[in-house]
Amino acid sequence: MAERGRGNLPAEFTSMIGHAAEVAEGLRSLARTRLLAVTGPGGVGKSRVAVRVARHARRRFPGGTWYAELSAVTGEPALTARVAAAIGRPQARTPEGIAAALRERRALVVLDTCEHLTGPVARLAEVLLRRAPHAKIVVTGRQPPDLAGQHVLYVRPLAEADAVTLFAERAAAVDPDFSLSGGGTRAAVAEICRNLDGLPLAIELAAACLRSLTAPELRDRLRDRRPLPAGTTSALPRQRDLRAMVEWSHALCGAEQRTLWAALSVVDGGFEQETAEAIGIEAGLPRVRAAVVLGDLVARSVVLREPAPGGAGYRLLRPYRQVGLELLEARARRRLTARYGAATAAPVPAPGSRPEAGDVVLSPRELQVAKLITEGLTNLEIAGRLVISKRTVDAHVRNILAKGHLTSRTHVAAWVASSD
Protein backbone atom coordinates (compact mmCIF):
# COMPACT_ATOMS: atom_id res chain seq x y z
CA MET A 1 0.00 0.00 0.00
CA ALA A 2 1.06 3.61 -0.50
CA GLU A 3 0.38 6.67 1.61
CA ARG A 4 -2.44 8.59 -0.09
CA GLY A 5 -3.17 12.31 -0.04
CA ARG A 6 0.28 13.55 0.84
CA GLY A 7 2.33 11.31 -1.39
CA ASN A 8 2.96 7.75 -2.43
CA LEU A 9 5.81 6.52 -0.25
CA PRO A 10 5.95 2.70 -0.26
CA ALA A 11 4.93 0.98 2.94
CA GLU A 12 7.56 -0.84 4.98
CA PHE A 13 6.70 -4.47 5.60
CA THR A 14 9.76 -5.32 7.72
CA SER A 15 11.66 -3.42 10.38
CA MET A 16 14.80 -1.51 9.49
CA ILE A 17 17.72 -2.56 11.69
CA GLY A 18 20.76 -0.31 11.87
CA HIS A 19 21.37 2.87 9.84
CA ALA A 20 19.76 5.09 12.50
CA ALA A 21 22.76 7.43 12.29
CA GLU A 22 22.40 7.75 8.50
CA VAL A 23 18.68 8.51 8.79
CA ALA A 24 19.39 11.21 11.38
CA GLU A 25 22.12 12.70 9.21
CA GLY A 26 19.81 12.63 6.19
CA LEU A 27 17.12 14.53 8.08
CA ARG A 28 19.64 17.17 9.17
CA SER A 29 20.98 17.50 5.63
CA LEU A 30 17.52 17.81 4.12
CA ALA A 31 16.92 20.85 6.34
CA ARG A 32 19.83 22.70 4.72
CA THR A 33 20.06 21.33 1.18
CA ARG A 34 17.61 20.86 -1.68
CA LEU A 35 19.31 17.78 -3.14
CA LEU A 36 20.28 14.82 -0.99
CA ALA A 37 22.16 11.97 -2.73
CA VAL A 38 22.02 8.70 -0.79
CA THR A 39 24.80 6.46 -2.07
CA GLY A 40 26.65 3.27 -1.17
CA PRO A 41 27.30 -0.25 -2.47
CA GLY A 42 24.55 -2.46 -3.82
CA GLY A 43 22.41 -4.10 -1.17
CA VAL A 44 23.51 -1.77 1.64
CA GLY A 45 20.04 -0.32 2.26
CA LYS A 46 20.06 3.01 0.39
CA SER A 47 16.40 2.78 -0.57
CA ARG A 48 15.31 1.96 2.99
CA VAL A 49 17.31 4.90 4.35
CA ALA A 50 15.93 7.31 1.75
CA VAL A 51 12.31 6.26 2.30
CA ARG A 52 12.74 6.42 6.08
CA VAL A 53 14.19 9.95 5.78
CA ALA A 54 11.27 10.98 3.55
CA ARG A 55 8.72 9.47 5.93
CA HIS A 56 10.16 11.27 8.96
CA ALA A 57 10.35 14.54 7.00
CA ARG A 58 6.93 14.44 5.36
CA ARG A 59 5.35 17.01 7.70
CA ARG A 60 7.79 19.54 6.26
CA PHE A 61 6.28 18.98 2.81
CA PRO A 62 2.56 19.78 2.65
CA GLY A 63 2.84 19.50 -1.14
CA GLY A 64 3.51 15.77 -0.77
CA THR A 65 6.34 13.25 -0.55
CA TRP A 66 6.53 11.47 -3.89
CA TYR A 67 8.43 8.31 -4.72
CA ALA A 68 9.58 6.93 -8.10
CA GLU A 69 11.45 3.61 -8.38
CA LEU A 70 13.67 3.75 -11.49
CA SER A 71 15.58 0.47 -11.73
CA ALA A 72 13.68 -0.71 -14.82
CA VAL A 73 13.63 2.72 -16.49
CA THR A 74 15.85 3.30 -19.52
CA GLY A 75 16.26 6.64 -21.24
CA GLU A 76 15.15 10.18 -20.55
CA PRO A 77 11.56 9.98 -21.91
CA ALA A 78 10.78 6.95 -19.75
CA LEU A 79 12.32 8.68 -16.73
CA THR A 80 10.14 11.75 -17.27
CA ALA A 81 7.03 9.61 -17.69
CA ARG A 82 7.74 7.61 -14.52
CA VAL A 83 8.30 10.70 -12.36
CA ALA A 84 5.29 12.50 -13.82
CA ALA A 85 3.09 9.50 -12.99
CA ALA A 86 4.57 9.29 -9.49
CA ILE A 87 3.62 12.88 -8.63
CA GLY A 88 0.14 12.38 -10.06
CA ARG A 89 0.66 14.46 -13.21
CA PRO A 90 0.97 11.89 -16.02
CA GLN A 91 0.23 14.58 -18.60
CA ALA A 92 3.58 16.27 -17.85
CA ARG A 93 5.80 15.05 -20.66
CA THR A 94 8.97 17.08 -20.05
CA PRO A 95 11.13 18.01 -17.04
CA GLU A 96 9.75 21.53 -17.43
CA GLY A 97 6.22 20.14 -17.21
CA ILE A 98 7.04 18.31 -14.00
CA ALA A 99 8.61 21.46 -12.57
CA ALA A 100 5.48 23.45 -13.48
CA ALA A 101 3.33 20.94 -11.59
CA LEU A 102 5.50 21.40 -8.49
CA ARG A 103 6.21 25.13 -8.84
CA GLU A 104 3.97 26.33 -6.01
CA ARG A 105 4.26 23.20 -3.86
CA ARG A 106 6.57 22.48 -0.96
CA ALA A 107 7.17 18.90 -2.04
CA LEU A 108 9.79 16.18 -1.70
CA VAL A 109 10.57 13.87 -4.64
CA VAL A 110 12.46 10.61 -4.03
CA LEU A 111 14.15 9.18 -7.13
CA ASP A 112 15.22 5.66 -6.21
CA THR A 113 17.92 3.60 -7.99
CA CYS A 114 19.50 6.11 -10.35
CA GLU A 115 23.01 4.75 -10.94
CA HIS A 116 22.21 3.80 -14.54
CA LEU A 117 20.56 7.16 -15.22
CA THR A 118 23.05 9.62 -13.74
CA GLY A 119 22.94 11.97 -16.75
CA PRO A 120 19.15 12.09 -17.25
CA VAL A 121 18.52 12.31 -13.50
CA ALA A 122 21.02 15.16 -13.17
CA ARG A 123 19.26 17.08 -15.96
CA LEU A 124 15.83 16.47 -14.45
CA ALA A 125 17.00 17.49 -10.98
CA GLU A 126 18.58 20.66 -12.33
CA VAL A 127 15.32 21.72 -13.98
CA LEU A 128 13.25 20.92 -10.88
CA LEU A 129 15.58 22.75 -8.52
CA ARG A 130 15.69 25.81 -10.78
CA ARG A 131 11.98 26.04 -11.69
CA ALA A 132 10.29 24.61 -8.58
CA PRO A 133 11.92 26.67 -5.81
CA HIS A 134 10.05 25.04 -2.92
CA ALA A 135 10.72 21.43 -3.95
CA LYS A 136 13.49 19.19 -2.65
CA ILE A 137 14.89 15.96 -4.08
CA VAL A 138 16.36 12.77 -2.66
CA VAL A 139 18.15 10.47 -5.11
CA THR A 140 19.59 7.03 -4.41
CA GLY A 141 22.21 5.17 -6.39
CA ARG A 142 25.59 3.52 -6.29
CA GLN A 143 26.94 6.68 -7.89
CA PRO A 144 25.49 10.13 -7.11
CA PRO A 145 24.58 12.56 -9.92
CA ASP A 146 27.13 15.23 -10.73
CA LEU A 147 25.38 18.37 -9.49
CA ALA A 148 26.67 21.35 -7.54
CA GLY A 149 25.17 21.94 -4.13
CA GLN A 150 24.11 18.37 -3.40
CA HIS A 151 24.82 16.73 -0.07
CA VAL A 152 26.07 13.14 -0.32
CA LEU A 153 24.98 10.71 2.38
CA TYR A 154 27.06 7.53 2.26
CA VAL A 155 25.39 4.41 3.65
CA ARG A 156 27.89 1.89 4.98
CA PRO A 157 27.44 -1.84 5.72
CA LEU A 158 26.03 -2.81 9.11
CA ALA A 159 28.17 -3.22 12.19
CA GLU A 160 28.41 -6.85 13.23
CA ALA A 161 25.97 -6.55 16.15
CA ASP A 162 23.29 -5.02 13.91
CA ALA A 163 24.02 -7.56 11.17
CA VAL A 164 23.52 -10.47 13.58
CA THR A 165 20.29 -8.92 14.89
CA LEU A 166 19.01 -8.50 11.32
CA PHE A 167 19.87 -12.10 10.44
CA ALA A 168 18.17 -13.42 13.57
CA GLU A 169 14.97 -11.46 12.96
CA ARG A 170 14.70 -12.49 9.31
CA ALA A 171 15.60 -16.10 10.14
CA ALA A 172 12.85 -16.26 12.76
CA ALA A 173 10.38 -15.13 10.09
CA VAL A 174 11.09 -18.26 8.00
CA ASP A 175 11.79 -20.62 10.92
CA PRO A 176 9.84 -19.75 14.09
CA ASP A 177 12.06 -22.13 16.09
CA PHE A 178 15.26 -20.30 15.15
CA SER A 179 17.35 -19.10 18.07
CA LEU A 180 20.86 -17.70 18.36
CA SER A 181 21.47 -19.70 21.52
CA GLY A 182 22.92 -23.18 21.55
CA GLY A 183 24.79 -25.37 19.11
CA GLY A 184 27.28 -22.72 18.04
CA THR A 185 24.54 -20.88 16.15
CA ARG A 186 25.55 -17.37 17.26
CA ALA A 187 29.17 -17.92 16.20
CA ALA A 188 28.01 -19.33 12.85
CA VAL A 189 25.70 -16.37 12.25
CA ALA A 190 28.43 -13.89 13.15
CA GLU A 191 30.75 -15.54 10.63
CA ILE A 192 28.01 -15.50 7.98
CA CYS A 193 27.50 -11.77 8.52
CA ARG A 194 31.25 -11.11 8.31
CA ASN A 195 31.46 -13.20 5.15
CA LEU A 196 28.70 -11.07 3.66
CA ASP A 197 30.39 -7.84 4.84
CA GLY A 198 27.34 -6.63 6.71
CA LEU A 199 25.29 -6.01 3.54
CA PRO A 200 21.60 -6.08 4.59
CA LEU A 201 20.30 -7.50 1.32
CA ALA A 202 22.87 -10.30 1.37
CA ILE A 203 22.06 -11.05 5.01
CA GLU A 204 18.32 -11.19 4.30
CA LEU A 205 18.87 -13.53 1.36
CA ALA A 206 21.10 -15.71 3.56
CA ALA A 207 18.56 -15.80 6.38
CA ALA A 208 15.90 -16.99 3.93
CA CYS A 209 18.07 -20.05 3.28
CA LEU A 210 17.23 -21.33 6.77
CA ARG A 211 14.10 -22.81 5.25
CA SER A 212 16.35 -25.66 4.13
CA LEU A 213 19.74 -25.20 5.86
CA THR A 214 20.99 -24.78 9.40
CA ALA A 215 23.15 -21.77 10.24
CA PRO A 216 26.35 -23.89 10.43
CA GLU A 217 25.52 -25.47 7.04
CA LEU A 218 24.98 -22.03 5.55
CA ARG A 219 28.29 -20.85 7.05
CA ASP A 220 30.08 -23.80 5.44
CA ARG A 221 28.43 -23.08 2.11
CA LEU A 222 29.76 -19.52 2.20
CA ARG A 223 33.21 -20.74 3.26
CA ASP A 224 33.29 -22.83 0.10
CA ARG A 225 32.15 -19.80 -1.94
CA ARG A 226 29.04 -21.57 -3.16
CA PRO A 227 26.26 -19.15 -4.21
CA LEU A 228 23.20 -18.58 -2.07
CA PRO A 229 19.90 -19.87 -3.46
CA ALA A 230 17.69 -17.26 -5.13
CA GLY A 231 15.69 -15.10 -2.78
CA THR A 232 12.05 -14.14 -2.67
CA THR A 233 10.30 -13.55 -5.98
CA SER A 234 8.81 -10.35 -4.55
CA ALA A 235 12.20 -8.65 -4.84
CA LEU A 236 13.41 -6.82 -7.91
CA PRO A 237 15.17 -9.20 -10.36
CA ARG A 238 18.59 -7.78 -9.52
CA GLN A 239 17.89 -8.30 -5.80
CA ARG A 240 16.83 -11.96 -5.93
CA ASP A 241 20.32 -13.30 -5.48
CA LEU A 242 23.63 -11.87 -4.38
CA ARG A 243 25.41 -12.43 -7.66
CA ALA A 244 22.75 -10.54 -9.62
CA MET A 245 23.17 -7.61 -7.25
CA VAL A 246 26.92 -7.50 -7.88
CA GLU A 247 26.59 -8.12 -11.62
CA TRP A 248 24.32 -5.06 -11.83
CA SER A 249 27.29 -2.98 -10.62
CA HIS A 250 29.66 -4.79 -12.99
CA ALA A 251 27.41 -4.07 -15.98
CA LEU A 252 27.51 -0.35 -15.19
CA CYS A 253 31.33 -0.26 -15.26
CA GLY A 254 33.50 0.45 -18.28
CA ALA A 255 36.35 -1.76 -19.49
CA GLU A 256 39.02 -0.06 -17.38
CA GLN A 257 36.95 -0.24 -14.21
CA ARG A 258 36.25 -3.94 -14.80
CA THR A 259 39.96 -4.59 -15.32
CA LEU A 260 40.94 -2.94 -12.04
CA TRP A 261 38.00 -4.50 -10.18
CA ALA A 262 39.12 -7.99 -11.20
CA ALA A 263 42.78 -7.29 -10.45
CA LEU A 264 42.05 -5.83 -6.99
CA SER A 265 40.06 -8.94 -6.10
CA VAL A 266 43.31 -10.83 -5.37
CA VAL A 267 43.80 -8.71 -2.23
CA ASP A 268 42.22 -10.33 0.81
CA GLY A 269 41.48 -7.31 2.99
CA GLY A 270 42.28 -3.62 2.85
CA PHE A 271 44.89 -1.96 0.68
CA GLU A 272 46.48 1.45 0.16
CA GLN A 273 46.18 3.65 -2.91
CA GLU A 274 49.76 2.94 -3.97
CA THR A 275 49.07 -0.80 -3.92
CA ALA A 276 45.88 -0.37 -5.94
CA GLU A 277 47.68 1.73 -8.55
CA ALA A 278 50.53 -0.79 -8.82
CA ILE A 279 48.03 -3.64 -9.27
CA GLY A 280 46.21 -1.68 -11.95
CA ILE A 281 49.40 -0.97 -13.87
CA GLU A 282 50.43 -4.62 -13.73
CA ALA A 283 46.95 -5.58 -14.96
CA GLY A 284 47.47 -3.42 -18.04
CA LEU A 285 46.12 0.02 -17.17
CA PRO A 286 48.21 3.01 -18.34
CA ARG A 287 50.14 4.52 -15.45
CA VAL A 288 48.32 7.85 -15.81
CA ARG A 289 44.92 6.10 -15.59
CA ALA A 290 45.38 3.84 -12.57
CA ALA A 291 44.53 6.45 -9.91
CA VAL A 292 41.64 7.82 -11.98
CA VAL A 293 40.08 4.39 -12.43
CA LEU A 294 40.43 3.67 -8.71
CA GLY A 295 38.53 6.90 -8.07
CA ASP A 296 35.85 5.76 -10.51
CA LEU A 297 35.37 2.51 -8.57
CA VAL A 298 35.10 4.45 -5.31
CA ALA A 299 32.53 6.80 -6.88
CA ARG A 300 30.54 3.77 -8.08
CA SER A 301 30.62 2.24 -4.56
CA VAL A 302 32.47 -0.85 -5.80
CA VAL A 303 35.56 -0.06 -3.73
CA LEU A 304 34.98 1.30 -0.21
CA ARG A 305 37.19 4.13 1.04
CA GLU A 306 37.65 4.05 4.80
CA PRO A 307 39.99 5.47 7.44
CA ALA A 308 43.24 3.60 7.97
CA PRO A 309 46.41 4.20 10.03
CA GLY A 310 48.37 6.93 8.27
CA GLY A 311 45.56 7.96 5.92
CA ALA A 312 42.75 6.58 3.81
CA GLY A 313 42.49 2.89 3.01
CA TYR A 314 40.43 0.96 0.52
CA ARG A 315 38.55 -2.32 0.54
CA LEU A 316 36.64 -4.47 -1.94
CA LEU A 317 33.56 -6.03 -0.33
CA ARG A 318 33.70 -9.83 -0.34
CA PRO A 319 30.70 -10.41 -2.65
CA TYR A 320 32.32 -8.01 -5.14
CA ARG A 321 35.69 -9.62 -4.64
CA GLN A 322 34.31 -13.10 -5.36
CA VAL A 323 32.86 -12.00 -8.70
CA GLY A 324 36.11 -10.24 -9.56
CA LEU A 325 38.13 -13.39 -8.87
CA GLU A 326 35.84 -15.43 -11.08
CA LEU A 327 36.34 -12.99 -13.95
CA LEU A 328 40.11 -12.74 -13.60
CA GLU A 329 42.05 -14.90 -16.05
CA ALA A 330 43.76 -17.78 -14.23
CA ARG A 331 47.34 -16.88 -15.15
CA ALA A 332 46.84 -13.25 -14.17
CA ARG A 333 45.23 -14.37 -10.92
CA ARG A 334 48.24 -16.52 -10.00
CA ARG A 335 50.69 -13.76 -10.90
CA LEU A 336 48.85 -11.00 -9.05
CA THR A 337 48.07 -13.20 -6.05
CA ALA A 338 51.73 -14.13 -5.66
CA ARG A 339 52.71 -10.48 -5.51
CA TYR A 340 49.74 -8.78 -3.87
CA GLY A 341 47.44 -11.42 -2.38
CA ALA A 342 48.90 -11.06 1.09
CA ALA A 343 49.93 -7.43 0.71
CA THR A 344 48.03 -6.30 3.78
CA ALA A 345 47.99 -9.48 5.84
CA ALA A 346 50.57 -11.66 7.55
CA PRO A 347 53.48 -12.74 5.32
CA VAL A 348 53.08 -16.06 3.55
CA PRO A 349 55.64 -18.61 4.78
CA ALA A 350 58.21 -19.58 2.20
CA PRO A 351 58.09 -23.21 1.02
CA GLY A 352 60.89 -25.71 0.80
CA SER A 353 62.59 -25.77 4.21
CA ARG A 354 62.41 -28.12 7.16
CA PRO A 355 59.23 -28.49 9.20
CA GLU A 356 61.02 -27.74 12.47
CA ALA A 357 61.78 -24.28 11.11
CA GLY A 358 58.04 -23.64 10.76
CA ASP A 359 57.92 -24.03 6.97
CA VAL A 360 55.21 -25.69 4.88
CA VAL A 361 55.59 -29.39 4.12
CA LEU A 362 52.58 -30.83 2.32
CA SER A 363 51.67 -34.38 1.45
CA PRO A 364 51.24 -35.13 -2.29
CA ARG A 365 47.44 -35.02 -1.91
CA GLU A 366 47.56 -31.76 0.06
CA LEU A 367 49.74 -30.26 -2.65
CA GLN A 368 47.15 -31.31 -5.26
CA VAL A 369 44.42 -29.62 -3.24
CA ALA A 370 46.52 -26.48 -2.76
CA LYS A 371 47.15 -26.18 -6.50
CA LEU A 372 43.44 -26.55 -7.25
CA ILE A 373 42.72 -23.79 -4.75
CA THR A 374 44.87 -21.48 -6.90
CA GLU A 375 42.50 -22.20 -9.81
CA GLY A 376 39.63 -20.78 -7.76
CA LEU A 377 37.87 -24.12 -7.21
CA THR A 378 35.62 -24.60 -4.20
CA ASN A 379 36.09 -27.57 -1.88
CA LEU A 380 33.13 -29.29 -3.54
CA GLU A 381 34.64 -28.75 -7.00
CA ILE A 382 38.02 -30.02 -5.81
CA ALA A 383 36.33 -33.15 -4.46
CA GLY A 384 34.79 -33.77 -7.88
CA ARG A 385 38.09 -33.19 -9.65
CA LEU A 386 40.01 -35.60 -7.40
CA VAL A 387 37.13 -38.07 -6.99
CA ILE A 388 37.21 -37.89 -3.19
CA SER A 389 34.63 -36.75 -0.65
CA LYS A 390 34.15 -33.10 0.22
CA ARG A 391 34.75 -33.97 3.88
CA THR A 392 38.20 -35.26 2.91
CA VAL A 393 38.93 -32.05 0.99
CA ASP A 394 37.79 -29.99 4.00
CA ALA A 395 40.29 -31.88 6.16
CA HIS A 396 43.10 -31.35 3.64
CA VAL A 397 42.39 -27.60 3.51
CA ARG A 398 42.45 -27.38 7.31
CA ASN A 399 45.77 -29.24 7.35
CA ILE A 400 47.26 -26.95 4.73
CA LEU A 401 46.24 -23.85 6.67
CA ALA A 402 47.51 -25.27 9.96
CA LYS A 403 50.83 -26.54 8.60
CA GLY A 404 51.62 -23.28 6.88
CA HIS A 405 50.28 -21.01 9.62
CA LEU A 406 48.13 -19.53 6.84
CA THR A 407 44.93 -17.58 7.43
CA SER A 408 43.06 -17.83 4.14
CA ARG A 409 42.73 -19.61 0.82
CA THR A 410 44.37 -16.54 -0.74
CA HIS A 411 47.50 -17.25 1.29
CA VAL A 412 47.44 -20.84 0.03
CA ALA A 413 47.23 -19.60 -3.55
CA ALA A 414 50.06 -17.13 -2.94
CA TRP A 415 52.26 -19.87 -1.46
CA VAL A 416 51.70 -22.20 -4.40
CA ALA A 417 52.29 -19.42 -6.94
CA SER A 418 55.52 -18.35 -5.25
CA SER A 419 56.85 -21.92 -5.31
CA ASP A 420 56.28 -22.37 -9.07
Side-chain angles (χ1 to χ4, degrees):
M1 292 179 60
E3 297 171 358
R4 299 296 179 187
R6 293 173 54 189
N8 67 336
L9 292 179
E12 295 180 288
F13 295 100
T14 58
S15 62
M16 188 177 81
I17 295 171
H19 296 323
E22 288 96 331
V23 171
E25 182 184 343
L27 287 167
R28 289 192 297 269
S29 299
L30 204 56
R32 59 180 185 267
T33 187
R34 295 184 61 207
L35 177 60
L36 175 63
V38 182
T39 190
V44 80
K46 300 180 293 295
S47 299
R48 292 294 297 267
V49 168
V51 170
R52 183 63 64 92
V53 168
R55 179 165 285 110
H56 285 332
R58 65 183 183 273
R59 291 185 179 180
R60 306 180 196 172
F61 300 99
T65 48
W66 308 99
Y67 173 86
E69 203 284 319
L70 305 175
S71 64
V73 171
T74 58
E76 201 154 351
L79 167 65
T80 303
R82 178 64 60 86
V83 176
I87 67 169
R89 297 291 189 275
Q91 67 275 18
R93 300 184 180 279
T94 64
E96 290 77 12
I98 295 173
L102 296 174
R103 182 174 292 125
E104 304 301 326
R105 298 162 66 181
R106 190 175 299 278
L108 178 65
V109 180
V110 180
L111 305 177
D112 188 20
T113 314
C114 301
E115 55 264 12
H116 59 306
L117 296 165
T118 52
V121 164
R123 288 188 288 273
L124 172 62
E126 187 175 17
V127 172
L128 293 184
L129 295 175
R130 187 175 66 251
R131 299 195 177 197
H134 305 297
K136 295 191 177 187
I137 303 171
V138 176
V139 301
T140 79
R142 302 177 197 188
Q143 182 176 5
D146 185 15
L147 280 174
Q150 70 180 347
H151 178 89
V152 177
L153 172 62
Y154 194 84
V155 181
R156 304 194 67 83
L158 295 176
E160 184 172 308
D162 287 335
V164 169
T165 300
L166 175 63
F167 184 98
E169 182 174 299
R170 300 300 191 260
V174 300
D175 178 7
D177 295 326
F178 176 82
S179 171
L180 287 173
S181 61
T185 300
R186 181 178 289 275
V189 169
E191 184 175 335
I192 290 167
C193 293
R194 288 193 296 271
N195 202 302
L196 297 173
D197 268 317
L199 290 174
L201 175 60
I203 291 167
E204 292 186 349
L205 291 173
C209 295
L210 266 62
R211 293 186 179 96
S212 56
L213 300 172
T214 66
E217 288 171 341
L218 178 58
R219 174 201 60 201
D220 293 343
R221 187 185 185 102
L222 291 172
R223 279 178 178 175
D224 291 341
R225 297 191 298 169
R226 283 179 281 164
L228 296 176
T232 172
T233 56
S234 65
L236 296 169
R238 61 185 173 80
Q239 294 179 336
R240 288 177 188 162
D241 64 73
L242 192 55
R243 186 178 182 87
M245 179 192 76
V246 178
E247 287 179 342
W248 171 266
S249 286
H250 193 264
L252 296 173
C253 288
E256 288 184 326
Q257 288 113 26
R258 293 175 184 178
T259 294
L260 185 56
W261 176 343
L264 290 175
S265 65
V266 303
V267 182
D268 187 7
F271 49 87
E272 298 178 347
Q273 179 170 341
E274 293 78 8
T275 301
E277 291 179 21
I279 291 173
I281 292 167
E282 186 158 340
L285 292 179
R287 186 175 298 272
V288 296
R289 292 289 300 161
V292 175
V293 178
L294 175 63
D296 290 342
L297 291 179
V298 173
R300 294 170 182 271
S301 301
V302 172
V303 171
L304 269 63
R305 188 174 185 269
E306 49 193 15
Y314 299 86
R315 182 165 63 98
L316 195 64
L317 292 174
R318 294 182 195 183
Y320 289 73
R321 179 171 176 257
Q322 181 174 333
V323 168
L325 281 172
E326 292 173 3
L327 296 173
L328 189 60
E329 189 269 329
R331 184 176 300 177
R333 182 168 62 219
R334 288 193 294 270
R335 185 182 73 252
L336 291 169
T337 299
R339 176 170 286 189
Y340 300 106
T344 58
V348 179
S353 300
R354 296 179 181 177
E356 57 265 28
D359 297 318
V360 182
V361 177
L362 302 182
S363 70
R365 178 65 87 183
E366 288 166 351
L367 185 58
Q368 282 182 304
V369 171
K371 288 183 175 179
L372 291 174
I373 287 174
T374 69
E375 297 181 18
L377 273 63
T378 66
N379 286 9
L380 186 63
E381 291 168 336
I382 292 171
R385 181 76 65 87
L386 299 179
V387 197
I388 57 179
S389 72
K390 178 182 175 295
R391 181 175 297 180
T392 300
V393 176
D394 293 342
H396 285 317
V397 172
R398 287 195 296 270
N399 290 341
I400 293 165
L401 295 173
K403 286 182 177 181
H405 305 289
L406 305 172
T407 59
S408 71
R409 296 168 70 94
T410 299
H411 280 181
V412 175
W415 176 81
V416 174
S418 65
S419 65
D420 287 344

